[in-house]
Each structure stands twice: as C-alpha cells, then as structure tokens.
C-alpha cells in the first residue's frame, strides 16, 4: 500500500512514467501480449476478454513477485478483475510430478467448489488461471491420507481447509496430477505479514501447527511434502 503510494510519488517527480499504471496488483495480472485484438480495444487471451479498463502496457516485471526488473514494453491484463482467479503452481501446460512437467495432453483441474460440486476449473467460464507458485515454499494437502486436509475452493477463489481454515488466493496454488481424480492443493508455508498479523491470526497458527505436526510425524527427518525446491 505505502509502497505503491511511494512509487506513484516517484512518478510525479518524473522518475518512471508507468509505475502506477496497472489498475490491479501485479500478482493478480497476466501477460496478455499475444492475445487476440478485438474491436473496442478489447483483448481476448485464453478465452478471457479484457476491456481497456483492465489492461495496460507496462515495462516491468517482478521476479518471484519481489524483484522488479525493467523489460521491453508488453501488455498485462488484470485477470482477477474479470474472472474468479485461481493460481496454478506450474505452467499452463504442466502437471506436478516430482516437479512441474510438460504435457501436451489436456490437464483438467478438478476441485471441490463450495464443498459440494466437483468442477473442472479449466472447463468453466467463471474461472481463470494465474501461473507460478506465489511463495517460496508450499506444502501439499493430502486429503486421501488425512481427512483434516480435505479442502475446497470457495466461490471467491479462496481455499478452505476442513471447512474452517481460509487461505486467500496467492497464499496457495493448485496443481494437476496424473492419475488422480483431484488436482492437488498446495499451501504457502510462510505467509505475508498482512496475512499473518492482520487478517487471519487464528487460521495461520493452526496451519503452522498442522504443518509442524506433519514434519514431526514423519520420523525419519525428511519432509515428504516439501516442494520448496521441486517447483
Ligand atoms: C509477454 O508475452 C510475450 C508474448 O508471449 C513475450 O514475447 C514477452 O516476452 C512476455 N513478456 C514478459 C515480461 O513476460
Ligand atoms: C469494462 O468492463 C466493465 C465491466 O465489465 C465496465 O464497467 C467498464 O465500463 C468497461 N470499460 C470500458 C472502457 O469499456
Ligand atoms: C468441457 O465440458 C464439456 C461438457 O462436459 C465438453 O463437451 C467439453 O469438451 C469440455 N471442454 C474441454 C476443453 O475439455
Ligand atoms: C472433495 O469432496 C469429496 C466428498 O466430500 C471428498 O471425498 C474429497 O476428498 C474432496 N476432495 C478434496 C481434494 O478435498
Ligand atoms: C470468501 O468466501 C469465504 C467462504 O464463503 C468467506 O469465508 C471469505 O470471507 C470470503 N472472502 C475472502 C477474501 O476470502
Ligand atoms: C498413469 O496412468 C497411465 C495409464 O492409465 C500409465 O501409463 C502411467 O504410467 C501412469 N502414470 C503415473 C505417474 O502413475
Ligand atoms: C523410516 O525409514 C525406515 C527405514 O528406512 C522405513 O522402514 C520407515 O517406513 C520410514 N518411516 C517413515 C515414516 O518414512
């Protein structure tokens, strides 16, 4: 928040012309440069239509959402402004094996929505995908092994574990697997200060305890579900 105000002040002083132009958080946007140009300055990318309000030409990107890098001009669209956006841990045509793996086949992203409906998000016009894990380390939820890991996606794109822990978008990601009926849900181990201290203090403590338990349970000193380096 303050960072952005500061960035905009810099612009006022002529340091950089396009710093505050994206009308949404960078993390909630996608590169739509190769989208199809439609009349009225609209752009269609991956089946999603962005009107002029929701995209900008910018000249920067963030590596790991942290390090700003200036790049040649390109166009980013605010996906989360026009779709319920859900983040996939891997790329568009990748599934999670031991690590993200390319596949030419159709990779459904089947999840429970609102705990009641089983939906392939890839084949549903309300949803759109962001790509790449949102944090350094994610841990996989394992509902087949532990019922308290059962999760579903809320109508607003948050992930809900065991009907009670709320994990907002950008604190988790999903990954299609081969030969499983559901996509995997992976939750950030560490979270942002905002998440930790302001929004959901109870939830984050539970997640920590939950994860510590899992590490201790696996008595051989290896953390079986740590994908920190694998993704
Ligand atoms: C955006 O997408 C275009 C077309 O796919 C690509 O050429 C360009 O390098 C991308 N830019 C960034 C910063 O990702
Ligand atoms: C873009 O779409 C939104 C809602 O879908 C609408 O409120 C807005 O006026 C549109 N902007 C333009 C420039 O067409
Ligand atoms: C989406 O689902 C419909 C109906 O089940 C099916 O006909 C269509 O081929 C699916 N689309 C994709 C991309 O799988
Ligand atoms: C989805 O719901 C079904 C039925 O309640 C449950 O068996 C399954 O484990 C759930 N899937 C996930 C990924 O939690
Ligand atoms: C999203 O939906 C869930 C369940 O309906 C709700 O508890 C939560 O407050 C909503 N908002 C966010 C930002 O997750
Ligand atoms: C998935 O199933 C296919 C055939 O059903 C099999 O050939 C393949 O080895 C399986 N892959 C994994 C990772 O189990
Ligand atoms: C720990 O290692 C032993 C021997 O390598 C193995 O038999 C056992 O199943 C392992 N336990 C766990 C929880 O991985």
């Amino acid at each position: 928040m303050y960072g952005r105000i500061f960035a905009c002040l810099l612009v006022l002083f002529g340091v950089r012309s396009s710093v505050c132009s994206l009308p949404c958080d960078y993390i909630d946007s996608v590169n739509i440069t190769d989208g199809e140009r439609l009349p009225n300055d609209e752009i269609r990318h991956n089946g999603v239509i962005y009107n002029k309000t929701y995209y900008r030409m910018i000249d920067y990107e963030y590596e790991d959402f942290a390090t700003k890098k200036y790049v040649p001009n390109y166009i980013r669209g605010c996906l989360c402004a026009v779709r319920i956006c859900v983040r996939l841990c891997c790329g568009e045509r990748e599934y999670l094996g031991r690590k993200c793996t390319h596949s030419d086949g159709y990779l459904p992203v089947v999840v429970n929505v609102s705990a009641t409906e089983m939906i392939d998000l890839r084949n549903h016009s309300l949803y759109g995908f962001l790509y790449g894990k949102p944090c350094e380390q994610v841990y996989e939820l394992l509902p087949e092994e532990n019922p308290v890991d059962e999760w579903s996606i809320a109508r607003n794109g948050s992930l809900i574990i065991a009907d009670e822990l709320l994990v907002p978008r950008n604190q988790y990601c999903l990954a299609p697997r081969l030969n499983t009926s559901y996509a995997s849900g992976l939750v950030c181990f560490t979270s942002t200060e905002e998440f930790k201290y302001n929004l959901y203090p109870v939830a984050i403590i539970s997640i920590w305890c939950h994860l510590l338990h899992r590490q201790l349970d696996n008595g051989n000193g290896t953390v079986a579900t740590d994908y920190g380096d694998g993704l």
Side-chain angles (χ1 to χ4, degrees):
M1 177 68 188
Y2 290 114
R4 196 187 297 188
I5 291 172
F6 181 66
C8 293
L9 284 175
L10 285 182
V11 170
L12 284 180
F13 289 100
V15 174
R16 202 80 205 186
S17 62
S18 59
V19 184
C20 57
S21 61
L22 203 59
C24 59
D25 287 334
Y26 181 90
I27 197 170
D28 289 334
S29 67
V30 289
N31 181 354
I32 61 168
T33 309
D34 59 1
E36 178 192 354
R37 301 301 190 273
L38 303 176
N40 305 323
D41 291 328
E42 293 178 335
I43 297 178
R44 173 162 46 211
H45 181 261
N46 268 351
V48 180
I49 295 176
Y50 301 80
N51 72 21
K52 241 169 35 184
T53 312
Y54 297 124
Y55 68 81
R56 293 288 185 278
M57 178 167 293
I58 62 172
D59 64 352
Y60 58 90
E61 65 176 355
Y62 284 92
E63 265 168 20
D64 303 325
F65 306 115
T67 312
K68 189 169 187 169
K69 235 179 71 179
Y70 288 101
V71 295
N73 282 355
Y74 71 112
I75 299 174
R76 287 189 84 88
C78 293
L79 178 67
C80 303
V82 290
R83 291 291 175 96
I84 300 170
C85 58
V86 170
R87 182 170 286 281
L88 299 186
C89 309
C90 299
E92 189 177 340
R93 302 197 155 277
E94 290 178 336
Y95 66 91
L96 185 59
R98 292 183 68 86
K99 58 188 176 99
C100 294
T101 310
H102 179 85
S103 167
D104 285 322
Y106 178 72
L107 295 167
V109 182
V110 177
V111 301
N112 290 334
V113 170
S114 298
T116 52
E117 275 178 276
M118 210 172 143
I119 287 182
D120 176 6
L121 299 181
R122 208 184 278 282
N123 190 6
H124 199 292
S125 60
L126 283 180
Y127 299 88
F129 296 124
L130 301 165
Y131 297 98
K133 63 188 172 121
C135 48
E136 193 79 13
Q137 289 195 304
V138 285
Y139 288 81
E140 184 171 17
L141 298 167
L142 299 170
E144 327 73 54
E145 288 171 25
N146 195 343
V148 303
D149 271 6
E150 263 185 32
W151 55 274
S152 61
I153 301 294
R155 296 270 171 211
N156 56 20
S158 294
L159 181 145
I160 297 174
I161 305 171
D163 286 334
E164 55 182 23
L165 300 182
L166 188 72
V167 185
R169 77 160 181 260
N170 296 328
Q171 293 297 334
Y172 77 89
C173 57
L174 305 180
R177 291 275 200 185
L178 287 188
N179 302 352
T180 61
S181 41
Y182 288 100
S184 282
L186 298 98
V187 179
C188 290
F189 186 63
T190 51
S191 47
T192 65
E193 297 302 292
E194 184 180 45
F195 177 67
K196 202 179 331 188
Y197 296 116
N198 297 338
L199 293 178
Y200 309 103
V202 177
I204 189 64
I205 287 167
S206 319
I207 290 174
W208 270 90
C209 295
H210 190 54
L211 292 169
L212 283 176
H213 262 287
R214 178 170 301 152
Q215 290 193 30
L216 295 174
D217 281 352
N218 185 344
N220 286 357
T222 51
V223 181
T225 51
D226 179 357
Y227 285 95
D229 296 324
L231 288 178

